[in-house]
Amino acid sequence: MAKIVLGSDLTPEALANPQLAHLVTGGRGSLAFLIGDNACRERLLGTSIHWDRVLLAFEDGAAVGYVAFKHHLRGPFALRPQPFVREFGWPMGWLRFAGFCLSELREWRYPFLLYGLRVSKTARHHGIGSALVQACCQQAAARGFKEVFLEVPLDNDRARALYLHNGFRLLRKRWVPWPPVRSMQRRLEAVL
Ligand SMILES: CC(C)(COP(=O)(O)OP(=O)(O)OC[C@H]1O[C@@H](n2cnc3c(N)ncnc32)[C@H](O)[C@@H]1OP(=O)(O)O)[C@@H](O)C(=O)NCCC(=O)NCCS
């Protein structure tokens, strides 16, 4: 079974492993128009990770998945303009950075948000995704939150099924069509 660890509990030497930043910056594909492809996202966000907002799953010593969460206005990525300006120059770097900040701000209405979840392709269907979701809910409960929210892309049936199997329910459809996501919520007192 995978071992799940809060990133900030790892040593600085362990966190310096580039495989971890690569894994954690691999999500947010829907924002590719702002933060580019996988390699670009790693350059923009890889040095700005808040490890206290990331749970990592390890199997045989290798990181095979993560779940990131956001609360108290702090998510897994620090908002730093410098990497954007280095990557895209001025003014495009600032424009893209502003867009990224707006998308991050939009989520601050959720008291506790499951921000991102990913399991390496070779490790899927072994229960690691579910274990990460459960561990994330335990983090929320331990901090006194009564519910966990998340947003799932409309076309991601597999993730939606996983969340439904792990106690989440779909919230009402949104009035605004963008971004194309559906909000989900899990009450913690009922299931933990
Ligand atoms: C979605 C994702 C995180 C699921 O990860 P996972 O580790 O495969 O998840 P699990 O193994 O817990 O569950 C997947 C399926 O395997 C099944 N499963 C779980 N343990 C199993 C086991 N030991 N043997 C066989 N099947 C198993 C589950 O029942 C589940 O089936 P379901 O989809 O019908 O519910 C993964 O597919 C992924 O990283 N996708 C890309 C990123 C993504 O979409 N993220 C979500 C963004 S909102």
Side-chain angles (χ1 to χ4, degrees):
M1 190 58 201
K3 184 177 169 202
I4 297 182
V5 186
L6 188 64
S8 52
D9 289 341
L10 295 175
T11 62
E13 293 74 35
L15 287 176
N17 177 353
Q19 191 206 357
L20 300 187
H22 178 74
L23 180 71
V24 174
T25 56
R28 298 272 129 170
S30 58
L31 291 182
F33 68 99
L34 283 175
I35 54 179
D37 61 12
N38 278 3
C40 182
R41 286 202 286 280
E42 192 172 346
R43 289 194 295 277
L44 293 178
L45 305 171
T47 54
S48 313
I49 298 172
H50 289 147
W51 289 107
D52 60 336
R53 295 297 192 259
V54 180
L55 287 160
L56 294 157
F58 288 91
E59 247 182 2
D60 301 325
V64 292
Y66 82 91
V67 62
F69 50 93
K70 188 188 253 188
H71 62 86
H72 292 102
L73 308 186
R74 183 178 163 99
F77 302 121
L79 298 177
R80 292 174 52 232
Q82 295 89 340
F84 284 76
V85 176
R86 249 196 322 270
E87 184 75 25
F88 301 111
W90 197 99
M92 278 318 287
W94 275 102
L95 262 177
R96 286 184 184 238
F97 176 67
F100 182 59
C101 289
L102 278 178
S103 91
E104 292 281 298
L105 271 170
R106 193 183 56 78
E107 291 169 339
W108 285 346
R109 64 205 159 101
Y110 300 116
F112 188 104
L113 178 76
L114 188 159
Y115 178 98
L117 170 73
R118 189 169 202 83
V119 174
S120 307
K121 283 197 173 120
T122 52
R124 289 182 189 168
H125 301 287
H126 293 123
I128 297 174
S130 299
L132 284 165
V133 169
Q134 296 295 337
C136 181
C137 291
Q138 280 160 14
Q139 288 285 324
R143 288 166 170 77
F145 290 94
K146 298 276 183 259
E147 47 197 0
V148 172
F149 293 88
L150 62 83
E151 289 184 343
V152 63
L154 293 182
D155 59 359
N156 196 338
D157 294 338
R158 186 191 295 164
R160 183 165 53 185
L162 177 91
Y163 295 133
L164 287 170
H165 291 166
N166 281 281
F168 283 82
R169 69 181 179 99
L170 287 161
L171 295 179
R172 258 185 319 143
K173 278 195 181 146
R174 298 142 49 94
W175 290 99
V176 193
W178 198 93
V181 294
R182 189 81 186 263
S183 300
M184 300 185 83
Q185 176 217 37
R186 173 175 159 175
R187 286 188 207 286
L188 296 175
E189 63 274 19
V191 279
L192 283 181

